Amino acid sequence: VHWVSIGNMIKLLYDKATGFVVCGGTDTMAHMIAAMRFMFPNVGKPIVATGAQVPMVELGDDGTNNLYFAITAAASDLSGPFLMFGDKLMDGMRVHKVQDRRRNAFTCPTQYTLGHYDSELRIYPHAPRRNPIITAARLVYRPHFREGVKVVKISPATPSESILYDASDPSCSAMLLITFGAGNVRDEDVVAEVPSHVDCLWQLYQRRYPVVLGSPMMDGVVDSHYEAGTKAVSREEGKGNAISARSTTGPLLEVKCMVAMAEAWDDEKEAIDYDKFRASMERDHVGELT
């Protein structure tokens, strides 16, 4: 993964640089900056991602301003991964791409906007500040990710049994199921003798195939007060036994699944260890569950 190459460079230059700017394509930028948080959980300097909707070589570009603002942020009193895009400084763990062409391509829940740029960079009081105690010798570096997570979205147009077919993909060993509503999956048969979503989740659990339930909303929480949603993540016999992503959503959740996959992979068996994967997904690694 290119993320590891970026991480290696940051680790190598950590004591020599005031901060770091990482430029990249916007389609996977939210994933990349979330990965920086997992790689450097105790980083004491800013790692600022940015990019452009219009390249610098074209008239009316936004790349020039974005790069200038990102450099300003990387030299300021901040620590952690951030995205500087348009005029907003955002928590790198909570960003979502929402526009394909317009300049404000990324957004995040209001509480994760940490500053903005007008005539100067204005950092909000709740933004994390530098920690000079963290040097290269004390910097924690965990460049461990693994592919193999099938991302599936539940839709009213999709039969519940399709979950079972998605789980048969030989290149994937776990599933991230993005559910409509507040993690509410169907627990009743629409057609006689056709299994519900919860039935399918139970079948996959019996096969020790891990399924993570995530919300499509930026501020979504999967743990549902609806009966069906409760059944989906219940660990009782015959219930869904799915793994709740809780408040972790979007690219951050997908990256966390890759981290959990790396932690749970058994090289000798060339298979995933279900219990280790579940334990990793239920653990708060870098504040993603808060």
Side-chain angles (χ1 to χ4, degrees):
V1 178
H2 294 306
W3 304 338
V4 178
S5 297
I6 297 169
N8 288 339
M9 189 62 68
I10 291 174
K11 186 176 186 303
L12 180 66
L13 299 175
Y14 189 81
D15 283 343
K16 302 179 185 299
T18 301
F20 303 90
V21 175
V22 182
C23 300
T26 57
D27 288 347
T28 56
M29 182 169 293
H31 296 80
M32 181 270 292
I33 196 60
M36 293 298 116
R37 167 55 76 189
F38 283 100
M39 279 197 282
F40 298 106
N42 71 334
V43 67
K45 297 180 179 181
I47 303 172
V48 186
T50 195
Q53 295 290 74
V54 180
M56 289 183 178
V57 294
E58 295 186 16
L59 184 65
D61 76 282
D62 62 330
T64 301
N65 279 344
N66 285 346
L67 180 59
Y68 174 75
F69 297 163
I71 292 172
T72 303
S76 64
D77 183 21
L78 290 166
S79 71
F82 304 92
L83 177 67
M84 187 82 219
F85 212 94
D87 63 350
K88 289 200 300 184
L89 178 71
M90 293 167 274
D91 184 329
M93 290 204 299
R94 306 291 179 175
V95 294
H96 299 251
K97 187 177 182 183
V98 294
Q99 298 280 358
D100 182 50
R101 297 181 183 277
R102 297 182 68 177
R103 303 303 175 87
N104 294 323
F106 293 88
T107 190
C108 65
T110 303
Q111 65 269 35
Y112 297 111
T113 299
L114 303 178
H116 72 273
Y117 196 98
D118 44 38
S119 58
E120 61 182 281
L121 179 63
R122 303 188 186 277
I123 301 172
Y124 301 161
H126 62 291
R129 283 352 198 226
R130 285 180 178 271
N131 185 352
I133 295 176
I134 304 300
T135 62
R138 293 177 173 175
L139 184 66
V140 175
Y141 183 40
R142 298 171 181 161
H144 308 300
F145 307 93
R146 189 179 183 90
E147 298 174 340
V149 180
K150 185 89 170 183
V151 182
V152 178
K153 182 178 179 181
I154 285 184
S155 166
T158 309
S160 55
E161 283 183 299
S162 66
I163 297 173
L164 302 178
Y165 293 106
D166 286 318
S168 65
D169 185 339
S171 65
C172 293
S173 302
M175 182 185 297
L176 171 56
L177 194 61
I178 305 301
T179 67
F180 55 85
N184 188 14
V185 297
R186 190 167 64 243
D187 65 335
E188 295 183 1
D189 301 344
V190 175
V191 180
E193 299 182 0
V194 174
S196 68
H197 289 125
V198 171
D199 294 332
C200 293
L201 292 174
W202 170 244
Q203 290 185 45
L204 293 177
Y205 173 72
Q206 288 180 303
R207 288 160 43 184
R208 306 296 281 174
Y209 184 94
V211 179
V212 179
L213 290 189
S215 169
M217 295 173 284
M218 286 192 300
D219 58 350
V221 178
V222 171
D223 297 346
S224 172
H225 61 278
Y226 296 109
E227 184 178 357
T230 301
K231 288 180 180 178
V233 297
S234 171
R235 302 186 72 164
E236 295 178 15
E237 183 82 11
K239 302 293 179 64
N241 280 267
I243 303 165
S244 171
R246 294 168 57 187
S247 60
T248 309
T249 66
L252 175 66
L253 176 55
E254 295 176 22
V255 173
K256 181 175 182 177
C257 287
M258 296 175 71
V259 172
M261 181 69 73
E263 288 190 352
W265 189 255
D266 188 322
D267 288 321
E268 292 184 3
K269 296 181 180 179
E270 293 188 351
I272 192 171
D273 183 308
Y274 177 92
D275 293 323
K276 287 183 179 180
F277 182 87
R278 180 162 201 142
S280 183
M281 288 303 303
E282 292 178 342
R283 187 171 80 251
D284 190 346
H285 292 252
V286 289
E288 75 279 2
L289 293 180
T290 58

